[in-house]
Amino acid sequence: MQASTGPTAIVEQADAWARADGADTVAAVTVRVGELSGVVPDALDFAFEVARDGTALADARLVVEEVPAVAWCGPCAEEFAVGMPPFFWCPRCDRPTTELRSGRELEITAVA
């Protein structure tokens, strides 16, 4: 389940999915937030609380699953954490890489 960025888009999408499933209320929305997404989980939670008013999510809680930034080095087949600030240099073969496998996510994974 992909969602547009931002708490309002998350609320709108989760509300639409809940209504499509015949639910009048939502207890929780689970989102995956990548380390390099530019989203601060605490700020997202606060904005979600404001954006959910007047929707089927009025009493819903936001569950945030943080996703670490992981890169891939093709030449040596090494997967490694890039950290913050990100460092795209393979620790195994000492070469730069541009292939990011995870860390940019901002997506809804569950609406309950």
Side-chain angles (χ1 to χ4, degrees), residues 38-108:
V39 174
V40 177
D42 288 340
L44 179 62
D45 188 49
F46 175 77
F48 176 82
E49 288 182 16
V50 173
R52 69 185 182 180
D53 286 344
T55 71
L57 287 79
D59 294 320
R61 64 186 170 86
L62 184 66
V63 178
V64 176
E65 297 174 350
E66 296 185 45
V67 180
V70 175
W72 173 255
C73 178
C76 72
E78 179 78 8
E79 190 173 80
F80 60 94
V82 299
M84 278 304 285
F87 187 68
F88 292 93
W89 206 266
C90 180
R92 183 173 178 192
C93 70
D94 200 29
R95 294 183 198 169
T97 186
T98 58
E99 187 176 338
L100 187 65
R101 289 220 161 151
S102 67
R104 290 190 185 141
E105 298 83 355
L106 178 54
E107 60 190 5
I108 297 171

